[in-house]
Amino acid sequence: MTETGIHYLDACGPDGMRLYAIGDVHGRHDLLAAMHRCIASELEYVPASDWRIIHLGDYVDRGPDSRSVIDFLIAARARDPRNLMLAGNHDIGFLDFLDSPDPDGLFMSYGGIQTAASYGVKLSTGSSWFGRPDEALARGHAALVEAVPQAHVDFLRSLTFSATFGDFFFCHAGIRPGVPLDRQNQQDLIWIRDAFHDHPGLFSKVIVHGHTPVPKAEVMANRVNVDTLAWKAGTLSALAVNGGDKRILTVQGKAL
């Protein structure tokens, strides 16, 4: 695999198809909308016969407007199905919380309170007894279940875990080295870090991912990381691919 893999410098998108892969949004509707305006301007100024905009997951939590992010993505996909949305661990964590309010789970521990606030619901961090929510959290959970539109739940449930175009494989977190791309575990696709980041060899495709924040987009021989901590730093990044031409796009907003 390491000897027959593809190097970033040699990787190409499909003939005639422009690709854009957008990193973790985390509730920054302002940055997501700005990135889409940037891409739309490019496609208008230099038209492409075909295109895909691939969103790499983590649409919710931490930032201030997760609800508007999901509304935006639902509308974008309805407008043109070439807008593709992949699942991130926080998106699955939101679904998990709606199903069962774990006071110590991902949602409550890492920015879910901000997500709930975007739906007009105040969640107490509460306390737990053998992993069960206290009364305040149970009430907040019930209010959130009521406040989240079914269309948002359906959207989150519809998210796929990977996509492949040309010499590129897109997912949220990364892949398990040594496992064929079509046999990757969903948990790895949304959670993996060290085993993937530390792998020195090439893969059968260049892996484009987010999940692990970096100060600026990280371009390696075998992978590209476009998670630039949008929710806090105010920088949202994307990889743009046009044949063999590859570049990083960024939009800048207010840091939180």
Side-chain angles (χ1 to χ4, degrees):
M1 191 175 203
T2 57
E3 295 179 355
T4 59
I6 185 78
H7 192 288
Y8 173 81
L9 293 177
D10 301 318
C12 294
D15 289 343
M17 181 184 290
R18 198 94 50 86
L19 300 173
Y20 297 93
I22 301 175
D24 304 35
V25 176
H26 279 304
R28 289 300 297 264
H29 171 258
D30 57 334
L31 298 179
L32 179 62
M35 180 63 78
H36 270 256
R37 288 193 298 270
C38 177
I39 293 170
S41 178
E42 282 203 0
L43 290 172
E44 181 179 7
Y45 182 68
V46 184
S49 56
D50 199 5
W51 55 267
R52 298 291 186 278
I53 300 175
I54 304 151
H55 304 78
L56 297 175
D58 276 7
Y59 311 118
V60 302
D61 297 349
R62 291 177 166 151
D65 209 352
S66 293
R67 177 174 189 154
S68 291
V69 168
I70 295 180
D71 279 333
F72 183 95
L73 294 172
I74 290 171
R77 188 165 67 181
R79 185 169 61 248
D80 195 312
R82 291 177 291 185
N83 287 287
L84 306 178
M85 291 80 184
L86 305 183
N89 58 311
H90 282 262
D91 311 311
I92 302 303
F94 186 16
L95 279 177
D96 289 342
F97 182 82
L98 291 173
D99 183 60
S100 178
D102 181 356
D104 304 311
L106 174 68
F107 187 79
M108 287 300 298
S109 301
Y110 296 99
I113 290 173
Q114 290 90 331
T115 297
S118 75
Y119 289 93
V121 174
K122 183 176 181 180
L123 284 182
S124 164
T125 54
S127 59
S128 61
W129 180 256
F130 293 109
R132 292 186 300 180
D134 68 1
E135 186 177 340
L137 181 57
R139 287 196 303 268
H141 169 259
L144 184 60
V145 169
E146 181 70 22
V148 175
Q150 185 61 42
H152 287 205
V153 175
D154 293 342
F155 168 79
L156 293 168
R157 288 175 176 165
S158 77
L159 299 175
T160 54
F161 287 79
S162 66
T164 302
F165 294 97
D167 294 326
F168 298 91
F169 180 89
F170 303 89
C171 60
H172 176 63
I175 66 164
R176 177 73 57 182
V179 177
L181 294 181
D182 61 356
R183 296 177 59 188
Q184 290 288 321
N185 182 280
Q186 288 183 351
Q187 286 294 104
D188 283 334
L189 291 171
I190 63 173
W191 278 105
I192 198 167
R193 280 199 169 102
D194 292 350
F196 168 59
H197 294 166
D198 296 342
H199 183 71
L202 301 179
F203 300 112
S204 59
K205 293 183 184 291
V206 173
I207 312 303
V208 184
H209 67 98
H211 183 56
T212 301
V214 286
K216 64 178 182 178
E218 186 177 43
V219 178
M220 313 288 285
N222 59 3
R223 63 183 180 88
V224 179
N225 180 3
V226 288
D227 178 3
T228 48
L229 199 66
W231 73 271
K232 185 175 183 181
T235 303
L236 181 63
S237 298
L239 173 69
V241 178
N242 185 14
D245 177 58
K246 302 163 293 275
R247 58 206 166 83
I248 300 297
L249 300 178
T250 61
V251 295
Q252 190 72 40
K254 182 180 179 180
L256 299 182

